[in-house]
Amino acid sequence: MAMKLLNQSCVDNSYSNFLSQFNNQTVDQAASGVGIRQWTWQTCSQFGYYQTCDEGTSCPFSRLLTLESNLVICRDIYKISPSSVPNFVEFTNEYYGANRPKGTRVLFVNGSIDPWHFLSVLKSDVSLNETAVFINGTAHCADMASDRSTDPQSLKDARLVSSFLNCLFIIFILYVYFRRLQTCKINYYL
């Protein structure tokens, strides 16, 4: 009755419908947000990171979300055997350096209540090449939202660090640009 009043119809939440949606490889130019098909491929073939509700935990979500149920999705959609996922994850960690990557000009921003922070770099040496910022009391991408008066101090501080590093990066780019101009003996005025 309520759905009729709201002009809504029933939703097919069957596993077969789920698989047919994932197996649809048509690009939707009007779609927004991250591609769930691509993200799932990465979890199956590179990360092996799944949000689960394992038995004996106080997880507030469905107990049907287990490691095994996620690996079945990898098998059913991408034909990746559950036993090969650990090898893919090991390769990814070795190739990219796991939680000790060797990048340049990388800022790792994580919130304490973001479930993805376990996949990231949480601590770093004080360096302009790789800096980790851990924000207590924030969730996924909180640092990217507009400032609000209710933001916790930890979030305000993290935004200052990000702004400072962005300024340093811009100064570095300008320095490189003007050095190249000087090397090419082009006259320029500041």
Side-chain angles (χ1 to χ4, degrees), residues 4-71:
K4 191 172 188 176
L5 288 172
L6 296 171
N7 264 348
Q8 293 182 349
S9 59
C10 290
V11 176
D12 181 358
N13 287 325
S14 67
Y15 189 67
S16 62
N17 186 51
F18 169 79
L19 289 178
S20 70
Q21 288 179 13
F22 261 89
N23 286 320
N24 179 0
Q25 297 180 29
T26 306
V27 176
D28 181 357
Q29 299 294 338
S32 63
V34 68
I36 192 68
R37 182 176 164 75
Q38 294 86 338
W39 172 250
T40 305
W41 166 257
Q42 284 190 292
T43 62
C44 294
S45 67
Q46 296 173 351
F47 306 140
Y49 182 76
Y50 305 99
Q51 291 175 316
T52 63
C53 286
D54 294 325
E55 201 171 314
T57 66
S58 60
C59 181
F61 305 108
S62 172
R63 299 281 186 249
L64 299 175
L65 296 174
T66 64
L67 175 60
E68 292 75 23
S69 68
N70 281 284
L71 294 174

Side-chain angles (χ1 to χ4, degrees), residues 50-167:
Y50 305 99
Q51 291 175 316
T52 63
C53 286
D54 294 325
E55 201 171 314
T57 66
S58 60
C59 181
F61 305 108
S62 172
R63 299 281 186 249
L64 299 175
L65 296 174
T66 64
L67 175 60
E68 292 75 23
S69 68
N70 281 284
L71 294 174
V72 166
I73 291 171
C74 297
R75 182 197 66 208
D76 291 349
I77 296 172
Y78 304 110
K79 310 300 182 228
I80 295 174
S81 76
S83 63
S84 64
V85 172
N87 295 332
F88 290 140
V89 173
E90 183 178 347
F91 173 82
T92 300
N93 285 332
E94 286 177 11
Y95 187 84
Y96 290 105
N99 64 353
R100 301 225 187 280
K102 301 289 182 226
T104 57
R105 295 184 297 274
V106 179
L107 178 63
F108 299 97
V109 182
N110 296 283
S112 63
I113 55 176
D114 177 0
W116 305 114
H117 81 266
F118 293 105
L119 284 179
S120 187
V121 174
L122 302 177
K123 293 182 181 180
S124 62
D125 297 328
V126 178
S127 163
L128 293 180
N129 281 328
E130 290 182 342
T131 303
V133 176
F134 191 75
I135 312 168
N136 285 317
T138 63
H140 191 65
C141 297
D143 60 302
M144 300 169 86
S146 298
D147 296 348
R148 286 183 277 177
S149 61
T150 57
D151 287 341
Q153 189 60 46
S154 58
L155 179 55
K156 293 175 185 177
D157 294 344
R159 285 188 180 127
L160 284 174
V161 170
S162 297
S163 295
F164 173 73
L165 291 173
N166 282 334
C167 288

Side-chain angles (χ1 to χ4, degrees), residues 156-180:
K156 293 175 185 177
D157 294 344
R159 285 188 180 127
L160 284 174
V161 170
S162 297
S163 295
F164 173 73
L165 291 173
N166 282 334
C167 288
L168 284 180
F169 179 68
I170 290 168
I171 290 168
F172 172 76
I173 294 298
L174 290 172
Y175 170 78
V176 169
Y177 174 75
F178 285 116
R179 290 287 296 172
R180 285 190 179 149

